[in-house]
Amino acid sequence: MEQGPIVVVLHSDSVPDAERMDRVAGRATIRYTEAPGLADALRGAEVLFVYDFRTRALPGAWHAADRLRWVHMGSTGVDPAMFPELRASDVVVTNTRGVFDAAIAEYVLGQILGFAKDLSGSLLLQQRHEWRHRESERVAGATALIVGTGSIGRHIARLLRAVGMTVRAVGRRERAADPDFGEVATDLHAELAGADYVVAIAPLTEQTRNMFDAAAFTAMKPHARFVNVGRGELVVTDDLVAALRTGSIAAAALDVVDPEPLPADHPLWELPNVRITPHNSGDFIGWRTEIVDAFTENFDNWIAGRPLDNVVDKRLGYVPG
């Protein structure tokens, strides 16, 4: 028999750790479901925990959300939940801001060091059993432009500053003397011209979709490297391929692409100046446990009537900083 508020947990092939969900189970009825059963599970439910945060199932099941009051995304990006019906509703949306920040920042630094030290070239020479002395670039003194000034962007900025890089940023509002970003500008193309490394970490909104197009890549230095840890849809993929082939930019490290997963015959796989990872820059050992803890801690707030953490501004599509 169902008791207390109904909490739906949308998962894929793995479910949240039962012991950690006990914090919720004692005060609510939990319905676990995969995407095909989401509509049935939502009937009468007040809370939805989107543990499978890469799903696109919610819009199709929305008609059944007759009592829903709160949706918690197990990710930082909330674009799968930003469809018109949810935006127009009174349902509160929260995210798991903060869990992935440090891991993604480490990934970005790792990719920048990999480019500067040409680690992939060293591996290729090792595989050939070839001893060849080479020189490498310094990262200290290079300029990184971070596009997106949320909490992940701040962690990236702090880490890059720690190794001596000059950091600038592009955001929604101009500001000077920011403690992490230094100068924050709003004119993307003007800032691209001065960057040695460009890091995309903006949320996916109608304003940011396709922001990195042919004009943006043309504005970049020919030796610039592009690192995308935001969303694949920030980029016009065909324009990126063209820029890499023609030398408009030197290289790219892509943790996110459009489309995902990247088809086996896609030209990005074959470009020697591209590094591809399968959307796992934030997936450190233990991340699943931490996103469950973030939800259960916020559930404590919800059940006690306290303000929720990390409430998304549904007009903007992210948690305001």
Side-chain angles (χ1 to χ4, degrees):
M1 181 178 178
E2 294 182 329
Q3 294 182 336
I6 296 171
V7 175
V8 173
V9 178
L10 175 60
H11 63 91
S12 55
D13 53 345
S14 64
V15 297
D17 181 82
E19 183 176 343
R20 308 196 89 82
M21 287 296 293
D22 280 349
R23 189 166 172 176
V24 175
R27 295 171 289 174
T29 296
I30 302 179
R31 295 176 181 169
Y32 291 95
T33 184
E34 296 186 49
L38 180 59
D40 287 339
L42 280 176
R43 290 186 174 90
E46 296 180 62
V47 179
L48 171 62
F49 173 25
V50 185
Y51 181 69
D52 176 18
F53 51 77
R54 294 193 176 104
T55 183
R56 293 291 189 265
L58 187 52
W62 185 252
H63 65 277
D66 52 357
R67 296 189 61 193
L68 200 63
R69 296 167 53 195
W70 169 34
V71 173
H72 179 82
M73 300 293 294
S75 59
T76 304
V78 296
D79 43 284
M82 291 296 102
F83 53 95
E85 294 83 358
L86 194 155
R87 283 181 187 267
S89 74
D90 294 330
V91 174
V92 176
V93 178
T94 58
N95 73 354
T96 313
R97 183 182 187 186
V99 167
F100 303 101
D101 295 8
I104 294 176
E106 291 168 357
Y107 173 95
V108 170
L109 176 59
Q111 290 288 5
I112 288 174
L113 288 170
F115 283 132
K117 305 307 175 186
D118 190 21
L119 298 182
S120 60
S122 295
L123 179 59
L124 181 61
L125 291 173
Q126 178 184 334
Q127 292 169 340
R128 294 175 178 173
H129 299 189
E130 186 174 344
W131 183 278
R132 186 196 303 173
H133 180 269
R134 298 178 301 145
E135 296 177 345
S136 64
E137 303 170 19
R138 294 289 308 277
V139 296
T143 297
L145 178 67
I146 300 173
V147 183
T149 56
S151 61
I152 299 176
R154 286 196 176 277
H155 272 74
I156 294 170
R158 292 168 190 159
L159 203 54
L160 299 190
R161 284 182 179 277
V163 297
M165 298 185 74
T166 298
V167 173
R168 292 179 63 84
V170 170
R172 197 166 56 90
R173 298 186 309 276
E174 287 187 4
R175 51 191 183 273
D178 183 279
D180 298 315
F181 299 116
E183 300 292 322
V184 178
T186 57
D187 187 337
L188 173 64
H189 288 197
E191 294 299 316
L192 288 172
D196 302 303
Y197 295 90
V198 177
V199 181
I201 187 55
L204 179 62
T205 68
E206 289 309 306
Q207 289 70 43
T208 62
R209 187 181 298 274
N210 295 334
M211 67 191 305
F212 289 98
D213 56 8
F217 293 122
T218 300
M220 292 168 62
K221 296 178 179 180
H223 72 257
R225 281 76 170 234
F226 176 66
V227 181
N228 191 2
V229 286
R231 283 289 187 267
E233 295 90 341
L234 299 176
V235 178
V236 180
T237 303
D238 289 346
D239 292 355
L240 173 60
V241 170
L244 290 162
R245 282 175 168 167
T246 61
S248 291
I249 64 173
L254 308 172
D255 187 53
V256 289
V257 290
D258 181 24
E260 284 188 18
L262 193 65
D265 60 351
H266 198 281
L268 279 173
W269 289 115
E270 301 300 327
L271 293 174
N273 51 350
V274 175
R275 310 289 177 263
I276 297 172
T277 53
H279 203 151
N280 65 347
S281 62
D283 294 353
F284 58 94
I285 296 169
W287 68 271
R288 290 178 177 83
T289 296
E290 291 206 19
I291 66 171
V292 174
D293 288 347
F295 168 69
T296 59
E297 288 167 11
N298 226 3
F299 181 81
D300 289 346
N301 293 329
W302 186 79
I303 207 77
R306 297 190 296 264
L308 293 171
D309 296 329
N310 298 331
V311 175
V312 173
D313 184 323
K314 293 190 289 184
R315 294 177 301 105
L316 299 176
Y318 54 88
V319 177

